Amino acid sequence: MHVLLFGATRGMGRAVARELARRGARLFLLGRDLDELKKSAADLQVHGAAGVVDVEHCDLSDPSGFSAAFDSAERALARIDAVVLTAGMFASQKQLEADPVLTTRLLVANFAHSVAFCEEARRRLLLHGGGVLCAFSSVAGDRGRKPVVLYGASKAGLSAYLEGLDHKFAAEGLRVVCVKPGFVRTDMTAGLKPPPFAGTPDGVAKRVVAALYKPRPVVYVPGMWRWVMLVIRWLPRFVMRRIGF
């Protein structure tokens, strides 16, 4: 499989890249820190990636660079079978309420610019008969909740977009995978109290990569979150107002 991966220098994105490398995938990495991308590329070749792992600067905050990044990936890979977007922003509800500028950056990056990147991927994949488009959303987008009002809203929009994309273009060969992580122990969640069923980046990666090879539209990671959010979605509003979850 030839995979373009945006966000492979840390956390879940790096774990997904490593799992793909172990399966012998041909990889092309995008990110905003070229030095970290080069370190990741070297690491991935040690883990078994096929051929040279090329990299290109691409910043989620600057969609004007998306098209050129895809051009570079197509030249290096010859073909793209799958596009994986793990890049995004996170901040706590408290931080976001105190900083309107940060809030705007997060909402734009996680929704508007993520959709713009996925649209570029959609066009490129369909031009060559289809492929897999995988993007990381979050369980935070499944229901409006007190601790993640703003972050959750950004991910709810992305999830709705990915579902619509799947409905519209599946018949043309586009397979859309929406990954919904729950709490995963990464640098991003450092300092937050984990639930009993918190996941690890490696555990997430195994489930996500399996879904790339046998695409399914929604992947909850860890899997327990599917059942947790099923309950949360059915709770009455008056209960949601009282609980802190």
Side-chain angles (χ1 to χ4, degrees):
M1 182 179 281
H2 292 205
V3 184
L4 169 60
L5 204 157
F6 190 176
T9 58
R10 54 188 293 186
M12 291 182 284
R14 188 167 200 177
V16 168
R18 280 181 172 175
E19 184 64 22
L20 283 164
R22 290 187 191 103
R23 292 195 179 213
R26 181 87 161 83
L27 300 171
F28 190 98
L29 309 182
L30 300 179
R32 62 183 179 181
D33 189 326
L34 271 177
D35 288 337
E36 287 299 318
L37 283 173
K38 290 174 183 177
K39 291 177 185 176
S40 290
D43 172 78
L44 293 172
Q45 294 198 236
V46 170
H47 281 82
V52 176
V53 179
D54 291 303
V55 303
E56 180 80 14
H57 174 267
C58 190
D59 192 335
L60 195 58
S61 69
D62 182 13
S64 67
F66 293 169
S67 181
F70 272 90
D71 288 343
S72 295
E74 288 176 342
R75 285 193 297 270
L77 295 176
R79 73 173 195 273
I80 298 175
D81 302 311
V83 177
V84 182
L85 172 64
T86 69
M89 286 183 64
F90 175 79
S92 70
Q93 180 65 20
K94 184 177 181 180
Q95 289 173 310
L96 293 170
E97 288 179 359
D99 189 340
V101 174
L102 176 62
T103 296
T104 299
R105 284 180 54 218
L106 181 142
L107 294 174
V108 170
N110 286 356
F111 179 66
H113 289 178
S114 292
V115 168
F117 181 82
C118 288
E119 281 291 283
E120 187 69 33
R122 172 189 65 77
R123 287 189 288 270
R124 302 283 181 137
L125 290 170
L126 288 175
L127 190 63
H128 299 286
V132 181
L133 171 57
C134 173
F136 275 51
S137 183
S138 171
V139 298
D142 277 12
R143 179 81 191 266
R145 297 189 284 123
K146 292 178 185 178
V148 286
V149 175
L150 293 162
Y151 175 76
S154 72
K155 292 300 189 177
L158 180 59
S159 293
Y161 160 76
L162 293 169
E163 182 179 359
L165 209 61
D166 178 64
H167 296 330
K168 183 169 184 181
F169 294 104
E172 297 179 38
L174 184 69
R175 298 291 178 260
V176 179
V177 179
C178 176
V179 180
K180 295 186 177 184
F183 194 103
V184 179
R185 292 185 176 92
T186 65
D187 292 344
M188 190 179 289
T189 58
L192 301 177
K193 184 179 178 180
F197 40 84
T200 64
D202 287 344
V204 168
K206 285 180 171 58
R207 288 177 62 86
V208 170
V209 172
L212 293 182
Y213 282 87
K214 291 185 178 179
R216 44 202 173 103
V218 180
V219 179
Y220 284 86
V221 286
M224 174 64 74
W225 282 96
R226 174 181 295 276
W227 310 113
V228 172
M229 296 314 298
L230 178 64
V231 172
I232 293 299
R233 286 197 301 272
W234 281 97
L235 287 178
R237 186 176 292 258
F238 76 88
V239 174
M240 293 298 294
R241 287 175 176 165
R242 292 177 182 176
I243 64 175
F245 183 81

